[in-house]
Structure formats: C-alpha cells, structure tokens
Amino acid sequence: MNIWIVFSVVFGYFGLLMLISWITSRNSNNETFFTGNRKSPWYLVAFGMIGASLSGVTFISVPGEVGNTAWSYFQFVLGNFVGYFVVAQVLIPLYYRLKLVSIYSYLNQRFGIGTYKIGSFFFLVSQTIGASFRLFLVAGVLQLAFFNAFGIPFWVTVFITILLIWAYTFRGGIKTIVWTDTLQTLFMLGAVIITIIVIVKDLDLSTQGVVQVIGDSEFSSVFNWDWRSPQNFFKQFFAGIAVVIVMNGLDQNMMQKNLTCKNTKEAQKNIYWFSLSFVLANLMFLCLGVLLYVFAEQHGITLPQKTDDLYAFLALNHFGLVTGVVFLLGITAAAYSSADSALTALTTSFCVDFLKGEVTQKKRLGIHLMFSAIMFVVIVVFSMINDQSVVTAVFKVAGYTYGPLLGLFAFGLGSSRIVRDKWVPLICVLSPIITYMISTYSEQLLWGYRFGFELLIVNGLITFLGLVLISERKRMVMSNTKSTSR
C-alpha cells in the first residue's frame, strides 16, 4: 500500500479523535476526567466497551491464533459471558452503593490501608503491562505499513503512537474516552465485516457456502476434552469467568466507564447488552480467522511466521486498497480504544489511591505524562523479547498480576473475617511466586497437567487461603454478649 495513503488515513483518523476531544473536554475538571460527571448514556458506554474489551489483541491475535488452537478460544469467550453477569449482579451494585471513584477504595473500607495500597499497586502493574502489550500490536502494524519506508526505528513509532493518545485524553479523560470508544468500535467491527465480504466474494461463496467452508474446516473445532491440555474446555471456561471478573469487574479501566452511567440499573443494562455483543463479535473474529487461512491456501500464499502478522499481511498486500485502508482504521481503532482508556485509568487510580484525590489539574497532567513514559519503555522492551502470540502473553501476565486482586475481593465479599492488614502485602507478593513455581513444575508434580488461562484461578485461590491464615473472626458477637450481661 502506498505510504502516503497510510499517512492520510492515520492523520485523518486522529484529526477526528482530536475534534471529539475538543468538544467533550470543554469546561472539564478533575471530576470530568475521573467520572465523566456520571452522565454517560448506558447504550453509548455499552457499544464503546466492545472495542475496549476486544482491543488490538483480539483484532490481530485471535484470527491468527485460529491456526494454532482452532476455535478453542471460544470456550474461553463462553466463560466470559457468564463472568459479565457476575460483574453486573455482584460488583456493579457494590461500587455504586459505596459511590467509588477508584474501585480499590473498597479494599480500604473492608481491610485497611495496607491492603488498599497493594491492591491498587497490582492494578497499576497489570494495566501498564497489559495496555503496553496491546499497543505493541498497533505500533508494529504502523511500522510495517508506514515507518519502515522512511527507515524510522520502532521506538520512534511507539513514541509517536503514545504521544497521540496523550494528546486527545489529557483534558477530558474518561468523558472523552466514552465517545472516542464508540467511534473506534464502529471502525473496528466495520473493518472485520468488510474483510469477510471481500474474502467471500473472492472465493465466490454464497451464505450457505461460507457456513459450510467454516464448519468443515479443521480450524473451526471448538471443544477440547483432554484434561492435560491448556485448551481443555473446563480450564478455558472457568478461566474465562475468572478473567472477566478480574480484568473487567476488578479493573479500574473497564469499571471507570461503567461508573460514568447515571445509576446502578443503567450500568447493569450496559453490561447485559455489551456481554451479548461481545460474544457475537468474538465469533465474527474466529470466522474471519478460518477464512484468512482458507484464502491463503486457495491462492498459494506463503504465510508469515508469526500468526499475529497474518491478518495484517493479507489485508495490506492481498485484499486491495479499500480493504487495506479499512484494516488500518480498524487496527488503529482497536488498539487505541483500550490503550487510551488504560492511560486514563492508570492516572485516575494513582491520583485517587495514592494521592487521595487531592491533585490539581497540573499535577494530574504530570501523572498522565509519567504513565505515558512508562508504557513507552514497556513496549520497547517487550518488542525485544516477544516470541509468542500477544493474546497468550496478555492472559499469561494477567494470571500472575490479577490473581491477588481476585483473591482479595473474593475474600472481602465472601467472608466476614478480619485480616491482619500489615501482612496482606506479603501474601499478595508470595502468591504469584508460588503460582509460578506450581506452573513451572506442574507436569512433573501433577501427572503431565499443563496450566492454561486457569492459572489465574490458582493464583486467586492461593491469595484467598493466605488471607484465611492471617485472619480471625469478628469480635462483635462477643462484645454484644458482654454488654448484654451487664
């Protein structure tokens, strides 16, 4: 594709984002940045969250990963669907009842300041790494499509990418994100639909023919019942539930958008409609994955070594100009829809959880810049060591960093016991270490068993058990008994 077309597409796209930012950030303040003044329409949040949840990882990695593990990822998505209902029924009412800006403030009320700080710290680490991994994808595509032609190094591409995100989020924050996510979701889903149409026309398939080609393909098998495989149904399904609870329900990034809705009922309605759309969107990406491999086979195309490069390689080189343009819009929108909200959530969490919300707009701006710089460093380092599918890397990291949050919230909501707050940080640090050791030696210790995404559940369980060990029962009953005897 002509590099100046690429430049025009990206420039025009960001021009549109900057216009939205200017409109939504007028008369903005810290409350606008953190909560959007709690005036976001639920349907707007629901649609925008599709793009934020799918992100560049789904857009790039899921279609390519079909070549490695077929449709086994859909088992994980089914678990996600159940997980969203748990979030809507349990966590959303809690957050609205407590009127939280940062959801980790709950840990302070339930346990104490030590637990509160370590919980927020794990979010900051998790979100920084996860968002950086996702942004790594779009930076790689822009490098391939535009910057390589000018001999510009990858780190410059990353710097420009993050600078653009900072430029349209530093004023309006979450209020701007709610609106830009809507636009980005539209571009992302539109790109996938157009790509599928192009492939179907090229292969001269009817609607029935498409269904038959996908159904007959070896790449469309869904269920895996081998208990030792990381793709086993039960591992994927229950891990899918746990991942949604922690990466959405216990994640400031996703919850901050839900908490911009007017009330609990509208936030729950947003989750219900979004969860259904999320499943359908993932199904569409998996169908695209099969069609990409069928197209390549039919045309005798030599595929790139990394499955993450499959969609970009075919779209930019074999699907024509229009599809290439919409692909660039789609991948840019997909990656930025999660990265921009992540940057906003990181800033919010640090300001509220560590600075107690007592920040001027100037200080908030400096923190926003700080997290932008941290993401830049993480992406550059990851580009040097990455040797696997990014979708696998993201959830693997989540298993270690979100596990303590899962254990903390599960214990807080499911038990009335009181913990020794000063020991909680130690438990939260030891838990991922123990989980890593178990995962490393699982085949030797557990008769060939290999962990997949369910590692998150193990991590959360270890944290939960650790909290039990440093806890005691409430003494309110004893106190009441004494007062009665008097």
Side-chain angles (χ1 to χ4, degrees), residues 109-123:
Q109 298 179 35
R110 175 63 177 84
F111 298 109
I113 192 68
T115 307
Y116 174 36
K117 297 300 184 184
I118 194 66
S120 182
F121 172 77
F122 266 95
F123 163 73

Side-chain angles (χ1 to χ4, degrees), residues 183-204:
L183 177 71
Q184 290 163 334
T185 298
L186 184 65
F187 280 137
M188 183 183 69
L189 296 182
V192 176
I193 291 171
I194 290 173
T195 303
I196 290 176
I197 291 173
V198 169
I199 295 175
V200 168
K201 286 187 175 181
D202 181 90
L203 299 178
D204 195 23

Side-chain angles (χ1 to χ4, degrees), residues 16 53 75 81-82 97 117 126 135 146 181 222 231 303 314 369 375 388 397-398 404 420 432 442 476:
L16 188 55
S53 296
Q75 301 171 121
F81 184 72
V82 176
R97 185 174 71 250
K117 297 300 184 184
S126 304
L135 198 56
F146 181 75
D181 275 0
V222 178
Q231 280 74 49
L303 298 179
L314 293 177
L369 277 171
M375 286 178 64
Q388 59 184 315
V397 170
R420 295 177 179 87
S442 66
M476 292 177 61

Side-chain angles (χ1 to χ4, degrees), residues 368-389:
H368 207 53
L369 277 171
M370 176 186 74
F371 280 109
S372 299
I374 293 172
M375 286 178 64
F376 168 76
V377 173
V378 173
I379 293 172
V380 172
V381 171
F382 182 66
S383 70
M384 299 176 182
I385 62 176
N386 177 45
D387 61 353
Q388 59 184 315
S389 169

